[in-house]
Amino acid sequence: MKQTQLLRIRKRCVPRFPGAGPVMAARGREKEPPDLVHQNQIFCETVRKELRCQKLHTEYGVNPLKRVHTITRKPMSWHDNTEEPADAKFLNLIHHAALEPTKKYTEPQTESQEIGWNTTPLISVDRTDRRLYFPCRNSEITKYMAAMWRLKEQSENMQ
């Protein structure tokens, strides 16, 4: 139906308020209930506002931000056991949604993504250069703690 037809139909349907008597206003005088003309104007204005804000959605898609969980099928149902061809567009959309942000986008989308966006090192790591390479070494404290852990493990194994 067209919008004007809906408006005509709704204009004919005037809501009635049964048992509406006089209402006391804030200043002590009685307020008369709205008559049919005012009720119809209020209703028509409400319909106009609803129609102005309505939008008909015809294209639907998968939310790429939400993980898709599959539900197991029933083994004896015939409609679940029929094979359907895979939709390539849908599969590409699902695989694209599962990618990490650096592969999805060319630049960071939020401020927090800027930290750690470029993960390639600025210079290559040369393990023979002592100025930039500091390997993990044993000190007195690390040797002591290693011996402590070894003794603790041995004592637990004996019990």
Side-chain angles (χ1 to χ4, degrees):
M1 285 187 160
K2 292 184 180 178
Q3 189 173 4
T4 55
Q5 290 174 343
L6 285 173
L7 192 60
R8 276 191 226 130
I9 291 171
R10 286 204 172 184
K11 277 187 180 179
R12 279 188 248 141
C13 304
V14 178
R16 306 216 191 294
F17 299 108
V23 180
M24 292 295 286
R27 300 207 175 169
R29 58 191 166 122
E30 290 185 5
K31 183 178 177 183
E32 295 180 14
D35 58 349
L36 291 178
V37 175
H38 289 122
Q39 288 178 3
N40 194 21
Q41 285 177 345
I42 292 170
F43 186 68
C44 290
E45 183 180 349
T46 306
V47 169
R48 264 188 263 117
K49 286 180 182 178
E50 285 177 1
L51 292 175
R52 185 177 52 209
C53 297
Q54 284 180 349
K55 183 178 179 185
L56 182 63
H57 295 281
T58 56
E59 293 183 18
Y60 300 100
V62 177
N63 184 359
L65 303 175
K66 188 175 182 183
R67 296 257 181 219
V68 178
H69 298 288
T70 58
I71 300 172
T72 57
R73 298 178 177 189
K74 296 178 181 177
M76 297 303 290
S77 64
W78 63 270
H79 60 276
D80 283 343
N81 291 327
T82 57
E83 291 296 324
E84 297 177 2
D87 187 13
K89 184 179 177 183
F90 177 74
L91 287 176
N92 286 338
L93 181 69
I94 294 295
H95 290 305
H96 181 72
L99 289 176
E100 55 213 34
T102 54
K103 293 181 181 173
K104 278 191 211 176
Y105 310 110
T106 57
E107 58 186 31
Q109 301 295 306
T110 62
E111 291 288 324
S112 62
Q113 284 181 346
E114 289 181 4
I115 301 169
W117 188 262
N118 298 323
T119 56
T120 56
L122 298 175
I123 56 173
S124 61
V125 178
D126 184 15
R127 298 200 186 270
T128 60
D129 190 5
R130 288 288 185 199
R131 296 176 297 170
L132 299 175
Y133 180 65
F134 304 102
C136 183
R137 296 186 177 126
N138 288 335
S139 65
E140 293 177 15
I141 296 172
T142 56
K143 288 179 185 177
Y144 172 75
M145 286 306 295
M148 278 279 288
W149 282 105
R150 229 179 292 121
L151 285 174
K152 184 178 177 186
E153 288 175 3
Q154 287 174 357
S155 65
E156 287 178 358
N157 290 337
M158 292 212 168
Q159 291 177 358

